[in-house]
Amino acid sequence: MIRVGTLDTVVTIRLRRTWGSRTAYRQSHAIKTPRQPSPNWSCAPEAESPGDALRKAICGLTMHYRQAVGEGYPPAEDWLVPAN
């Protein structure tokens, strides 16, 4: 479980082993800042290792957060969109 920037919403990232030694992940929320046309869900939610999968999930959220804040948008809880 993580929090993104100053947002209070807790994002849960679940990891699971897939074929071979790869690790898939699933996020409880995606991020959609005012600068994005739609929520950012990874199109390939897996990686070589659990650490890489966790980093990939977190980087996807924080990159968009930092870009929006850097452009002057005030952080808002509705940036985090729950999974269906």
Side-chain angles (χ1 to χ4, degrees):
M1 296 188 298
I2 65 164
R3 286 197 171 100
V4 179
T6 60
L7 303 179
D8 290 329
T9 302
V10 174
V11 176
T12 301
I13 302 168
R14 298 190 189 280
L15 304 177
R16 69 175 175 80
R17 290 274 185 197
T18 61
W19 57 274
S21 62
R22 295 188 62 81
T23 302
Y25 64 90
R26 180 177 165 91
Q27 298 170 209
S28 63
H29 295 75
I31 191 162
K32 186 202 173 300
T33 66
R35 60 186 307 283
Q36 295 170 255
S38 61
N40 180 51
W41 295 101
S42 177
C43 60
E46 66 177 27
E48 290 295 322
S49 70
D52 288 342
L54 192 55
R55 268 188 295 282
K56 188 175 174 183
I58 292 170
C59 286
L61 293 165
T62 59
M63 175 187 67
H64 291 288
Y65 177 91
R66 284 193 307 266
Q67 287 175 341
V69 170
E71 291 177 9
Y73 294 101
E77 292 298 320
D78 67 354
W79 287 6
L80 294 174
V81 179
N84 294 338

